[in-house]
Each structure stands twice: as C-alpha cells, then as structure tokens.
Amino acid sequence: MADTPVNGSAVEELIQKLDENSFDVPQEIVVSEVDEGQPCLICEDGCPGFAFHSWRNNCTHCKCPRDDHDVYNDNFVNVRDRLGWKRQDDPTVHTSKEKTLREGFTWVPSGLTREKIEEYMDQLPNHKVPRVGTPGERYRDLQLIRQLPKQDLSDRYCKALEEPGETKEFRIFRELRDQVAMDIGCVKEAPSDSTCWCCKGDVDKGELVVAAPKLAEGRWWHPACFTCSTCEELLVDLVYCQHDKQLYCERHYAQLIRPRCPACDELIFSGEYTKAMEECYHKEHLACWNCDQKLVACRYIMKDEHPHCVPCYQKLFANNCEECGKAIGPDFKDLSYKDKHWHESCFKCSQCEKSLVDQPFAPKNDKIFCSECYDNAFAARCDGCGSPFKGGMKKFEYKGKQWHDECFICAECNVPIGNKSFIPRDDRVICVPCYENNYAQRCSKCAGVINKGGISYKNTPWHRECFTCTKCDKMLAGEKFTSKDDQPYCGDCFGDLFAKKCCRCARPITGMGGTKFISFEDRHWHSECFICYKCERSMVGQGFLMNGEEITCPDCGRT
C-alpha cells in the first residue's frame, strides 16, 4: 500500500464547506495545563512564578519560555481529548484511565496485556518511561505540552487569529492535518523478520514494534526509535504526523506547513508577516524584548538572541566610557579591556594622548599608556646603561641586577657575555678566558689553569694529576708521601733514595707508619730485626755483644 496521498479535491471540498459555514468542527479539546505561578526550572529562586504576558509565550517576571517553568497537566490526560478526537470504546484503540493507572503508568499503548506493556516499556529509556511518580511522568507532561501545543489544536487558544480569514485558514490546516498527516501509532508483534525503518536494526518475528497506519505497510519502528525527525524526542503517546515519508511531532510538522512566530509560539495564518533574523513574526510581534515597542521598519539591536530598541539597549547594555564617562551607544565602536570600555576616540594614551587603536598598549594604575610612555615611566631599567627594558628585549639577571643583552659584558675585556659562562669577582662578572688569564690559580708543575679538582701542598697549587712522585711519577693525591728538598716522593722511592738500610734485612728504614728502629754507631736495624744472630732472641732493651757484623746475646757470646 502506497503512502496516503493528499487529495486535492478534499481541499476544495473543505474550502467550500467553510464558505457555506457547514464545516465539521472537531469536538472541543480538553486542555487542563497548570502554568500560572509555577516556578522556573532555569532561574529557580530568581523567578517568583510564571506570569502570563499579554501575547508572548514567556514569563513576564523572568522572561523564560513558558515550558521552561514547572508546567504540568492537571489530572489524567487522554491524548484523544487533547486532540479533540472522539473516543472509541475499542480497547485496541483506546485504553481506559482505570486500566492505565492500575498498571502504574500515566499512559500505556492500547490493546496490550500487562506482560506486553512491561515488555514495551522495558525498551524505552528509563527516564522516559511514563511510570507514575517518576521523572518519566514529568517527561510525558512536558512532551504533551511541547509536541501538541494547544494553540495548534484549537483556535480557542489562538490569540493571534484576528481576522475571519485567518480562522478559516487555521481550520483548513487543522482538518487537512488530522485527515492526511496526523494519526496515533499502534503497537503490535512483528509478523515477520524485518528491519527498523529508523535505525535499520534487525526486527525479529514476534518482537514488539510500532506501526504508523498512515505510512505504507511493512514499515516498523523499535519503540525507542519512534521519534520526531526534527527534535528526536519520543513521539508522545505515539501521536505522529507524516510528511515526505518521515515522522514528525505535531509541532515540527506544523512548522513545515506554516511559519511559527517565535514570540507568541503560534502558527502564522495571516497573509502578511515580517521576516527578521531568519525567523517569521506576526507583524505586531516583532517588538523590543524589554519594552514591547514595535520594531517593524525601526532600527533594533540584537542582544542574547533577542531584539531591543535603541533606547532599551542603551539603558540595559551600553557601557560607560572610562575616559569621558558617557554611555557607548550603538553608533560607536566599543573597545574593551578587562571589563573596561572606551569610545574609539577616547582610547588613547593617558600621558601623550596618542591614539591606541590597533596599537600596543599597557595598563598601569587604572590608566592605559602607549608602549613608549609606559617604558619611560614604569619599565625596569638596565643596571649597565640605565635605559628601560622594552617589550621583546632580552634581559639578563644576576644577584638582583639586570642588563640588556649588549650591556651584560665582561668587566675586563668589555665583550658581551651573552649565554656564555662567567665567573663573579668582587661584584663584577668576568668571562672565563679573562678570569683564567688574570685570576685563576696555575699548577706549579705544568703552569696550566686549575679549573677544578686541584690540591695544595706547602701553599703551592697543583693539578691532581700533576702532583706525582719526583722519581716514579706515581700520583700522590690521596696517598702517603714524604718530601726531600721540597720535592715529593712516594714511600717506596723515598726509602730507596734516602732512607737508612737495616743491617739484618737490608730494607730501608723509612720511619713511615711509626716504624721503630735501633742505631749503634753507624749501623741500623728495624726493631723486629734487632735479634741475636744465633738464638734469634730480641735484643731490644737487652745487653748484647758485637761479633764482627753480627750481634749476639751474652749467653750465646760466651759459648
């Protein structure tokens, strides 16, 4: 079965009925929305409660839209009553209030058992399930108000229908919409395996799906996919409108057919209306957001997406100039910096009065200065030349002093040091070559500069690697050594060259490490070597006899 076509003759017949005053008007819709005095969900305590504007769809207190307040439907809402459609006793078309509430919901699909109702609800997002006493109940209330606005359903709620012709156009729109486009979806078990018309996901045979009778057979939607193509919200109570094979809620379908005035939120049926800011307005509704002055053919200024007349804009939003104190009106360019504002002509240096428009500037003490005046008055100065540091200049700092790149020079050779190493001396800085040439210690052996790791012996500096034994060149740093004629020697070389020799072992007697020795006439012995040559008893502190080159104890001497 093809999509239901719009019958051109049906339109002519409707127009003829209207001309004959025999138009079949649907029963009066039942709308019991509670909005007056309801708190704003955006402003919270900042709004004392919703108050009707004479024609706008926003609160006169906080100016937030009506449906941003805690608006709700009083008592049980049957969607057919809201649409003005006759109820049907057939349970496959209409579920009674008693059965709906008994199941614990504010709405359930018609014709389903309790188990199937739960199966259907399980496929919806949790916060959108219309269960009594949950966020889903509030969600359904808001969607009834947003998707099925009462001013789209009955001319009784349209304040902007001023001419009889406009009411006639409204009724033609409503009748065509109800007959051709609008319907209520039905929930059923899929007769065969298929795919969801929206997400293209699999639909298994026997799975619960939603069908749209005014679209072709064989098109199914998952319950969570039965949504408006524009706002992508679940179609409330399965009420949909079809247009070009797409699903829409009534609000967004209506806006495809008729322009909607953003000020009063009503469809425009007048032959004349105003287009501004890419929106269509009733002629009298293009007005200042603050004072409601009509703005057709008048100059206005947009602020926070709302039009304002020039006086209101200046009163509410214009900033005062820091220089002259006057308001910066819409005819002047507003130059700002850190919550301060200036006329373009007033944005100038506080000292030389040079214009700072498109020029670098700097603030100081609640005033603004051109870069030159700021540098001369406030910028840090070089300790070398006394001139200020300007923006972008390289600065060198050391011990609380600062220099320009070209002023940071060696105190000896006057060459700029830049990023090279330097050595401080008496509050001066000296480059490494000059310091080495003029002040650095030099090694007593090689005469080279001692940069690090040097040692001192008898007030004489040496490189560690240069402080060696005079004879064998062994490094003496960290080793025991002695000297002869101010020349260092390692222990071994000193013993070989200068020490006395033991008469018994012939090894040198160096005295290093506290070595004790015995001397007699021109002969010398280590303490441990001063023993009887026959019985090898120690003679230290004992009497002894000389027998040629040998020493003996008295007992061995007698034998």
XYZ file of all heavy atoms in Angstrom, residues 18-89:
586
model
N -16.340 25.572 4.366
C -16.121 26.779 5.149
C -16.922 27.942 4.591
O -17.526 28.728 5.328
C -14.633 27.136 5.166
C -13.761 26.298 6.125
C -12.303 26.600 5.884
C -14.141 26.602 7.556
N -16.957 28.070 3.262
C -17.728 29.149 2.637
C -19.209 29.017 2.951
O -19.935 30.012 3.065
C -17.506 29.148 1.127
C -16.093 29.567 0.771
O -15.454 30.227 1.630
O -15.611 29.229 -0.330
N -19.676 27.752 3.098
C -21.091 27.538 3.367
C -21.383 27.489 4.860
O -22.512 27.185 5.277
C -21.518 26.213 2.719
C -21.416 26.226 1.199
C -21.627 24.838 0.604
O -21.768 23.879 1.405
O -21.640 24.724 -0.631
N -20.338 27.773 5.692
C -20.478 27.736 7.149
C -20.978 26.385 7.648
O -21.706 26.280 8.635
C -21.429 28.842 7.652
C -20.865 30.216 7.406
O -19.675 30.445 7.596
N -21.717 31.143 6.959
N -20.587 25.313 6.937
C -21.017 23.979 7.342
C -19.822 23.101 7.675
O -19.886 21.893 7.558
C -21.837 23.328 6.215
O -21.051 23.248 5.030
N -18.710 23.737 8.067
C -17.504 22.989 8.376
C -17.703 22.141 9.628
O -18.234 22.597 10.622
C -16.339 23.974 8.592
C -15.030 23.288 8.795
C -14.370 22.697 7.740
C -14.463 23.230 10.056
C -13.164 22.077 7.920
C -13.252 22.608 10.242
C -12.605 22.032 9.169
N -17.281 20.878 9.537
C -17.466 19.930 10.635
C -16.343 20.133 11.656
O -15.257 19.573 11.504
C -17.399 18.507 10.082
C -18.369 17.588 10.788
O -19.050 18.092 11.665
O -18.410 16.400 10.431
N -16.562 20.934 12.683
C -15.523 21.245 13.664
C -15.394 20.083 14.644
O -16.397 19.572 15.133
C -15.876 22.545 14.422
C -14.804 22.842 15.463
C -16.022 23.692 13.446
N -14.155 19.630 14.939
C -13.980 18.563 15.918
C -14.503 18.991 17.283
O -14.690 20.177 17.558
C -12.464 18.358 15.953
C -11.961 18.925 14.676
C -12.876 20.051 14.344
N -14.754 17.987 18.129
C -15.234 18.319 19.467
C -14.210 19.174 20.183
O -13.028 19.150 19.856
C -15.501 17.042 20.265
C -14.250 16.259 20.608
C -14.584 15.000 21.388
O -15.553 14.320 21.080
N -13.795 14.718 22.402
N -14.654 19.929 21.153
C -13.777 20.856 21.860
C -12.666 20.092 22.567
O -12.923 19.083 23.230
C -14.579 21.657 22.896
C -13.809 22.811 23.481
C -13.386 23.802 22.411
O -14.261 24.266 21.643
O -12.190 24.091 22.333
N -11.438 20.535 22.375
C -10.322 19.828 23.012
C -10.323 20.122 24.506
O -10.813 21.168 24.960
C -8.971 20.228 22.398
C -8.608 21.676 22.767
C -8.949 20.023 20.919
C -7.186 22.037 22.413
N -9.798 19.178 25.261
C -9.731 19.315 26.713
C -8.267 19.544 27.088
O -7.435 18.665 26.916
C -10.258 18.053 27.422
C -10.128 18.198 28.930
C -11.699 17.798 27.012
N -7.947 20.741 27.549
C -6.592 21.079 27.974
C -6.661 21.652 29.375
O -7.325 22.666 29.605
C -5.934 22.104 27.017
C -4.573 22.519 27.556
C -5.797 21.524 25.621
N -6.020 20.983 30.303
C -6.021 21.469 31.699
C -4.586 21.589 32.170
O -4.119 20.824 33.009
C -6.806 20.513 32.596
O -6.335 19.181 32.453
N -3.861 22.534 31.562
C -2.454 22.740 31.911
C -2.357 23.745 33.054
O -3.014 24.773 33.041
C -1.676 23.245 30.704
C -1.644 22.256 29.548
C -1.052 22.852 28.288
O -0.736 24.065 28.308
O -0.921 22.133 27.271
N -1.525 23.417 34.029
C -1.298 24.309 35.164
C 0.029 25.019 34.933
O 1.085 24.376 34.884
C -1.257 23.515 36.487
C -0.977 24.461 37.656
C -2.561 22.776 36.694
N 0.008 26.329 34.753
C 1.229 27.074 34.494
C 1.342 28.342 35.339
O 2.416 28.691 35.797
C 1.352 27.427 33.011
C 0.045 27.917 32.406
O -0.829 28.355 33.170
O -0.094 27.851 31.171
N 0.248 29.039 35.572
C 0.301 30.295 36.320
C 0.884 30.060 37.714
O 0.414 29.204 38.472
C -1.106 30.896 36.438
C -1.138 32.282 37.076
C -0.581 33.370 36.163
O -0.539 33.154 34.930
O -0.207 34.433 36.677
N 1.966 30.817 38.028
C 2.590 30.720 39.350
C 3.591 29.599 39.503
O 4.228 29.482 40.556
N 3.772 28.772 38.465
C 4.701 27.648 38.582
C 6.158 28.143 38.540
O 6.482 29.066 37.798
C 4.468 26.641 37.456
C 3.175 25.852 37.619
C 3.146 25.098 38.922
O 2.418 25.476 39.853
N 3.941 24.053 39.027
N 7.051 27.548 39.341
C 8.451 28.015 39.406
C 9.193 27.775 38.094
O 8.867 26.867 37.334
C 9.051 27.176 40.543
C 8.193 25.952 40.611
C 6.807 26.403 40.246
N 10.216 28.615 37.860
C 11.040 28.486 36.668
C 12.130 27.445 36.926
O 12.817 27.489 37.959
C 11.682 29.827 36.301
S 12.726 29.760 34.822
N 12.305 26.508 36.011
C 13.311 25.469 36.164
C 14.702 25.974 35.785
O 15.698 25.300 36.052
C 12.947 24.260 35.296
C 11.578 23.626 35.592
C 11.299 22.492 34.610
C 11.507 23.124 37.022
N 14.776 27.150 35.161
C 16.064 27.736 34.773
C 16.533 28.722 35.852
O 17.643 28.634 36.355
C 15.966 28.448 33.411
C 15.425 27.491 32.346
C 17.330 29.004 33.004
C 16.289 26.271 32.100
N 15.652 29.648 36.201
C 16.015 30.691 37.177
C 15.905 30.201 38.616
O 16.476 30.807 39.523
C 15.113 31.916 36.999
S 15.153 32.605 35.340
N 15.110 29.148 38.852
C 14.852 28.608 40.178
C 14.310 29.709 41.086
O 13.258 30.264 40.826
C 16.124 27.952 40.730
C 16.595 26.762 39.881
C 17.834 26.106 40.416
O 18.514 26.703 41.275
O 18.128 24.968 39.967
N 15.041 30.066 42.165
C 14.502 31.044 43.120
C 14.493 32.464 42.560
O 13.914 33.370 43.184
C 15.329 31.026 44.411
C 15.207 29.685 45.136
O 14.218 28.980 44.875
O 16.112 29.352 45.929
N 15.095 32.674 41.400
C 15.127 34.023 40.833
C 13.808 34.450 40.219
O 13.633 35.621 39.856
N 12.860 33.514 40.079
C 11.551 33.849 39.497
C 10.466 33.549 40.520
O 10.399 32.434 41.058
C 11.325 33.023 38.224
S 9.680 33.226 37.494
N 9.576 34.493 40.814
C 8.508 34.251 41.788
C 7.417 33.315 41.277
O 6.530 32.914 42.030
C 7.947 35.660 42.045
C 8.260 36.428 40.806
C 9.571 35.878 40.308
N 7.454 32.960 40.007
C 6.440 32.078 39.440
C 5.973 32.588 38.088
O 6.012 33.802 37.809
N 5.517 31.668 37.237
C 5.140 32.044 35.882
C 3.969 33.022 35.886
O 2.975 32.849 36.596
C 4.752 30.797 35.084
C 4.369 31.112 33.660
C 5.327 31.403 32.712
C 3.036 31.135 33.280
C 4.983 31.697 31.407
C 2.672 31.431 31.978
C 3.655 31.719 31.035
N 4.120 34.070 35.088
C 3.046 35.054 34.915
C 2.877 35.298 33.422
O 3.861 35.517 32.711
C 3.390 36.355 35.636
N 1.624 35.253 32.933
C 1.355 35.384 31.503
C 1.684 36.780 30.993
O 1.380 37.786 31.637
C -0.117 35.099 31.209
C -0.439 33.641 31.164
C -1.096 33.040 32.225
C -0.081 32.869 30.076
C -1.395 31.688 32.197
C -0.375 31.517 30.036
C -1.032 30.922 31.104
N 2.341 36.809 29.854
C 2.475 38.041 29.089
C 1.211 38.189 28.251
O 0.524 37.198 27.975
C 3.723 37.946 28.194
C 4.078 39.218 27.504
N 3.495 39.615 26.325
C 4.976 40.190 27.825
C 4.011 40.762 25.945
N 4.920 41.146 26.833
N 0.902 39.386 27.858
C -0.351 39.591 27.118
C -0.369 38.846 25.788
O -1.423 38.440 25.312
C -0.573 41.096 26.884
O 0.526 41.645 26.166
N 0.793 38.643 25.174
C 0.818 37.894 23.923
C 2.067 37.038 23.725
O 2.079 36.116 22.940
C 0.682 38.825 22.711
C 1.639 39.992 22.699
C 1.413 41.220 23.216
C 2.963 40.029 22.154
N 2.512 42.036 23.036
C 3.479 41.324 22.368
C 3.753 39.097 21.497
C 4.741 41.712 21.963
C 5.016 39.482 21.073
C 5.502 40.779 21.324
N 3.136 37.313 24.467
C 4.337 36.496 24.320
C 4.140 35.133 24.994
O 3.332 34.974 25.899
C 5.547 37.179 24.968
C 6.061 38.399 24.234
C 7.374 38.840 24.868
N 7.843 40.113 24.361
C 8.556 40.257 23.241
N 8.871 39.190 22.541
N 8.944 41.454 22.851
N 4.972 34.174 24.591
C 4.948 32.847 25.202
C 6.042 32.731 26.254
O 6.699 31.713 26.384
C 5.136 31.767 24.129
C 4.962 30.366 24.689
O 4.033 30.105 25.439
N 5.880 29.462 24.347
N 6.263 33.798 27.012
C 7.267 33.752 28.059
C 6.758 34.453 29.307
O 5.763 35.183 29.277
C 8.583 34.382 27.597
C 8.443 35.827 27.170
O 8.173 36.096 26.010
N 8.598 36.755 28.097
N 7.456 34.241 30.412
C 7.052 34.783 31.710
C 7.399 36.266 31.788
O 8.495 36.682 31.399
C 7.780 33.996 32.800
S 7.531 34.617 34.471
N 6.484 37.050 32.326
C 6.759 38.490 32.463
C 7.776 38.760 33.566
O 8.396 39.828 33.583
C 5.460 39.257 32.767
O 4.880 38.723 33.960
C 4.465 39.126 31.629
N 7.967 37.814 34.479
C 8.923 38.023 35.574
C 10.354 37.745 35.121
O 11.224 38.600 35.246
C 8.573 37.110 36.764
C 7.321 37.505 37.467
N 6.440 36.585 38.004
C 6.773 38.722 37.722
C 5.420 37.217 38.556
N 5.598 38.512 38.395
N 10.598 36.536 34.629
C 11.978 36.139 34.308
C 12.246 36.078 32.812
O 13.396 35.882 32.394
C 12.303 34.795 34.932
S 11.352 33.413 34.249
N 11.192 36.191 31.985
C 11.275 36.190 30.526
C 11.679 34.833 29.944
O 11.956 34.722 28.748
C 12.225 37.287 30.017
C 11.724 38.700 30.277
C 12.579 39.733 29.592
C 12.030 41.139 29.806
N 10.718 41.320 29.180
N 11.732 33.802 30.771
C 11.999 32.453 30.246
C 10.739 31.925 29.567
O 9.620 32.283 29.955
C 12.422 31.513 31.364
S 14.050 31.886 32.049
N 10.868 31.034 28.567
C 9.692 30.468 27.910
C 8.777 29.750 28.900
O 9.212 29.280 29.956
C 10.289 29.478 26.896
C 11.665 29.993 26.654
C 12.125 30.596 27.935
N 7.519 29.666 28.522
C 6.516 29.034 29.397
C 6.899 27.611 29.754
O 6.804 27.203 30.919
C 5.160 29.070 28.684
C 4.043 28.298 29.383
C 2.737 28.519 28.629
N 1.676 27.665 29.113
C 1.361 26.482 28.595
N 2.061 26.020 27.554
N 0.380 25.761 29.088
N 7.349 26.821 28.783
C 7.618 25.420 29.085
C 8.954 25.199 29.775
O 9.331 24.056 30.042
C 7.512 24.550 27.834
C 8.435 24.998 26.723
O 9.173 25.975 26.932
O 8.419 24.379 25.645
N 9.684 26.293 30.101
C 10.841 26.175 30.983
C 10.444 26.275 32.446
O 11.289 26.169 33.338
C 11.888 27.257 30.664
C 12.754 26.880 29.472
O 12.743 25.688 29.104
O 13.407 27.769 28.898
N 9.149 26.513 32.695
C 8.619 26.509 34.054
C 8.040 25.126 34.350
O 7.907 24.288 33.463
C 7.557 27.593 34.219
C 8.102 28.985 34.130
N 8.554 29.542 32.940
C 8.295 29.936 35.084
C 8.996 30.772 33.164
N 8.856 31.037 34.455
N 7.722 24.901 35.603
C 7.248 23.583 36.022
C 5.775 23.399 35.639
O 4.908 23.166 36.486
C 7.437 23.421 37.528
C 7.287 21.979 37.977
O 7.336 21.095 37.107
O 7.113 21.743 39.186
N 5.525 23.493 34.335
C 4.162 23.361 33.817
C 3.786 21.882 33.798
O 4.607 21.028 33.479
C 4.069 23.961 32.395
C 2.671 23.829 31.849
C 4.505 25.419 32.425
N 2.546 21.584 34.147
C 2.124 20.186 34.128
C 0.649 20.110 33.761
O -0.081 21.119 33.767
C 2.379 19.519 35.479
C 1.570 20.088 36.626
C 0.348 19.514 37.006
C 2.020 21.194 37.351
C -0.385 20.033 38.059
C 1.291 21.726 38.391
C 0.088 21.140 38.754
O -0.648 21.657 39.782
N 0.206 18.916 33.418
C -1.198 18.675 33.095
C -1.940 18.232 34.345
O -1.500 17.312 35.044
C -1.313 17.588 32.017
C -0.817 18.075 30.670
O -1.447 18.886 30.021
N 0.351 17.577 30.263
N -3.032 18.888 34.615
C -3.833 18.548 35.793
C -4.670 17.303 35.500
O -5.339 17.210 34.470
C -4.748 19.724 36.160
C -5.338 19.572 37.542
O -4.783 18.779 38.326
O -6.346 20.232 37.826
N -4.607 16.338 36.417
C -5.389 15.103 36.305
C -4.910 14.239 35.131
O -3.935 14.549 34.453
C -6.882 15.400 36.181
C -7.411 16.123 37.413
O -7.011 15.787 38.537
N -8.268 17.110 37.213
N -5.630 13.181 34.865
C -5.276 12.212 33.829
C -5.516 12.819 32.444
O -6.534 13.465 32.207
C -6.134 10.955 34.010
C -5.824 9.870 33.024
C -4.760 9.010 33.232
C -6.602 9.704 31.887
C -4.471 7.998 32.318
C -6.332 8.698 30.974
C -5.262 7.841 31.201
N -4.577 12.612 31.522
C -4.695 13.173 30.175
C -4.883 12.041 29.174
O -4.035 11.149 29.057
C -3.442 13.987 29.800
C -3.564 14.501 28.370
C -3.240 15.147 30.760
N -6.027 12.079 28.480
C -6.239 11.181 27.347
C -5.919 11.972 26.094
O -6.489 13.028 25.839
C -7.695 10.700 27.315
C -7.930 9.702 26.196
O -7.880 10.058 25.023
N -8.199 8.459 26.564
N -4.981 11.462 25.296
C -4.482 12.240 24.177
C -5.567 12.541 23.154
O -5.535 13.578 22.477
C -3.271 11.527 23.533
C -3.714 10.318 22.723
C -2.478 12.482 22.654
N -6.555 11.661 23.025
C -7.640 11.936 22.077
C -8.442 13.154 22.520
O -8.920 13.933 21.688
C -8.536 10.702 21.927
C -7.871 9.586 21.134
C -8.797 8.394 20.935
N -8.201 7.449 19.997
C -8.342 7.508 18.677
N -9.076 8.453 18.138
N -7.760 6.620 17.899
N -8.607 13.309 23.837
C -9.294 14.505 24.325
C -8.490 15.759 23.981
O -9.042 16.791 23.608
C -9.493 14.418 25.835
C -10.477 13.322 26.225
O -11.265 12.913 25.354
O -10.446 12.887 27.389
N -7.153 15.649 24.124
C -6.316 16.818 23.832
C -6.368 17.170 22.352
O -6.355 18.348 21.988
C -4.871 16.546 24.254
C -3.967 17.771 24.127
C -2.589 17.518 24.677
N -1.762 18.724 24.582
C -1.686 19.675 25.481
N -2.397 19.588 26.593
N -0.898 20.730 25.307
N -6.451 16.149 21.496
C -6.517 16.395 20.058
C -7.911 16.807 19.590
O -8.062 17.290 18.464
C -6.081 15.140 19.296
C -4.624 14.687 19.493
C -4.382 13.357 18.791
C -3.656 15.733 18.982
N -8.922 16.583 20.446
C -10.286 16.873 20.023
C -10.887 15.774 19.170
O -11.823 16.013 18.402
N -10.333 14.557 19.292
C -10.857 13.418 18.544
C -11.847 12.650 19.414
O -11.682 12.578 20.640
C -9.729 12.467 18.131
C -8.786 13.077 17.130
C -8.871 14.305 16.576
C -7.620 12.449 16.597
N -7.837 14.519 15.719
C -7.042 13.386 15.696
C -7.003 11.242 16.757
C -5.879 13.126 14.986
C -5.843 10.956 16.049
C -5.286 11.897 15.171
N -12.840 12.063 18.779
C -13.818 11.280 19.521
C -13.161 10.017 20.065
O -12.383 9.360 19.406
C -14.989 10.898 18.615
C -15.829 12.086 18.172
C -16.973 11.636 17.275
C -17.820 12.832 16.813
N -18.932 12.400 15.944
N -13.535 9.684 21.309
C -13.019 8.463 21.911
C -13.709 7.262 21.281
O -14.845 7.344 20.834
C -13.265 8.439 23.416
C -12.536 9.515 24.195
C -12.561 9.174 25.661
N -12.092 10.284 26.487
C -11.905 10.207 27.794
N -12.168 9.065 28.415
N -11.496 11.240 28.475
N -12.987 6.138 21.319
C -13.579 4.890 20.844
C -13.491 3.859 21.959
O -12.499 3.797 22.694
C -12.834 4.380 19.600
C -12.868 5.375 18.438
C -12.158 4.841 17.211
O -12.151 3.638 16.967
N -11.594 5.748 16.429
N -14.543 3.093 22.116
C -14.576 2.099 23.189
C -13.720 0.881 22.877
O -13.463 0.051 23.738
C -16.020 1.654 23.443
C -16.866 2.809 23.986
O -16.267 3.691 24.639
O -18.084 2.821 23.746
